[in-house]
């Protein structure tokens, strides 16, 4: 029954050490059990037990390389679940003033990874710019890239295979993802992942060590201004 499955997932995510390990994997990377133990503040033995449960439940994928076991989120759906839980966690029951949504860290609010795509003010600004210029249409959980949008994205230098229909993939090509801090959509799906990879590979953004935050480089600022008319990040 789905009710039993929902309860099981809730118990898995609700344990603080497991929650910390899942959050550490939200940047899309694979980490060792030792690294995840450090992130959760537990012993390696305790971390291994937690990770085994998460793998068994289908929330994490594990692969062996040499003597290490690397863990990553099993799917974009798991990342989306965690992002949604984070949104709910920021809501106070009866706030006396407007709640502050999303992370307190200004760098995380400005730009960060959400699994394998970009989020925060940067992610939302890119989605807004693509919509304003008729390159992408987002509506009710569905995304569409227009022919003009495909030409534009090709012109940015995204690989052709990242912009193909991808009939063999069960993952949507383009879809909106409600942003944790901005409370407006950024781009997810294979297109969101391709944009994030392109920005990282061409050094338009770089990872901030130890967090999901992304730093926009000077080259990235110029690129955003010239190609997307984004000037205020």
């Amino acid at each position: 029954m789905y009710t039993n499955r929902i309860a099981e997932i809730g118990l898995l995510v609700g344990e603080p050490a497991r929650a910390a390990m899942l959050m550490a994997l939200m940047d899309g990377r694979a980490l060792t059990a030792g690294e995840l133990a450090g992130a959760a503040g537990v012993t390696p033995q305790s971390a291994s037990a937690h990770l085994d449960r998460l793998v068994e439940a289908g929330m994490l994928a594990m692969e062996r390389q040499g003597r290490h076991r690397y863990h990553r989120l099993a799917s974009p759906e798991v990342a989306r679940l965690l992002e949604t839980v984070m949104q709910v966690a920021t809501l106070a029951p009866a706030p006396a003033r407007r709640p502050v949504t999303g992370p307190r860290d200004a760098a995380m609010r400005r730009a960060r990874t959400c699994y394998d795509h970009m989020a925060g003010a940067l992610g939302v600004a890119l989605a807004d710019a693509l919509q304003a210029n008729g390159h992408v249409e987002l509506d009710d959980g569905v995304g569409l890239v227009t022919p003009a949008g495909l030409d534009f994205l090709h012109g940015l230098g995204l690989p052709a295979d990242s912009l193909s229909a991808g009939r063999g993939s069960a993952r949507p090509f383009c879809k909106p993802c409600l942003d944790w801090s901005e409370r407006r959509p950024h781009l997810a799906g294979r297109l969101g992942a391709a944009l994030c990879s392109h920005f990282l590979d061409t050094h338009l953004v770089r990872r901030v060590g130890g967090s999901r935050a992304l730093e926009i480089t000077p080259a990235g600022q110029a690129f955003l201004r010239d190609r997307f008319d984004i000037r205020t990040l």
Side-chain angles (χ1 to χ4, degrees), residues 14-224:
E15 201 284 325
R18 289 194 289 267
M21 289 188 280
L22 289 166
M23 290 297 298
L25 295 168
M26 276 292 285
D27 63 0
R29 291 179 294 176
L31 298 177
T32 66
E35 290 168 332
L36 291 167
V42 297
T43 65
Q45 294 81 3
S46 179
S48 292
H50 287 308
L51 291 168
D52 287 344
R53 290 191 62 183
L54 291 167
V55 170
E56 184 179 352
M59 299 193 70
L60 294 184
M62 185 274 290
E63 61 183 59
R64 295 182 184 275
Q65 189 169 334
R67 62 188 183 88
H68 291 297
R69 295 192 305 167
Y70 288 88
H71 297 81
R72 66 171 70 249
L73 297 183
S75 67
E77 287 72 25
V78 174
R80 199 154 54 243
L81 166 68
L82 296 173
E83 188 83 358
T84 301
V85 171
M86 287 187 285
Q87 292 169 17
V88 174
T90 63
L91 298 176
R97 55 188 175 84
R98 184 177 178 182
V100 176
T101 59
R104 304 283 179 177
D105 188 322
M108 285 273 285
R109 296 174 69 87
R110 186 184 189 208
R112 64 182 183 275
T113 52
C114 174
Y115 187 52
D116 60 358
H117 51 273
M118 291 181 288
L122 171 60
V124 171
L126 287 169
D128 285 348
L130 288 168
Q131 289 185 91
N133 288 289
H135 297 145
V136 167
E137 297 175 6
L138 302 177
D139 182 43
D140 196 24
V142 178
L144 171 70
V145 181
T146 65
L150 287 174
D151 290 341
F152 175 76
L153 293 166
H154 276 300
L156 294 183
L158 269 68
D161 58 353
S162 71
L163 301 176
S164 63
R167 294 176 183 174
S169 174
R171 187 179 187 187
F173 176 50
C174 174
K175 67 175 296 180
C177 178
L178 180 63
D179 195 86
W180 173 26
S181 52
E182 298 294 309
R183 299 303 168 91
R184 297 176 50 239
H186 57 246
L187 288 178
R190 289 183 291 112
L191 174 58
L195 278 169
C196 185
S197 294
H198 180 70
F199 270 59
L200 286 166
D201 292 344
T202 56
H203 309 292
L204 301 175
V205 298
R206 52 178 166 249
R207 296 184 187 274
V208 177
S211 80
R212 289 196 287 139
L214 297 172
E215 180 184 0
I216 305 171
T217 65
Q221 293 282 7
F223 184 83
L224 291 170

Side-chain angles (χ1 to χ4, degrees), residues 220-233:
Q221 293 282 7
F223 184 83
L224 291 170
R225 182 183 63 249
D226 297 342
R227 306 305 298 269
F228 290 91
D229 197 28
I230 296 173
R231 303 169 181 271
T232 58
L233 293 175

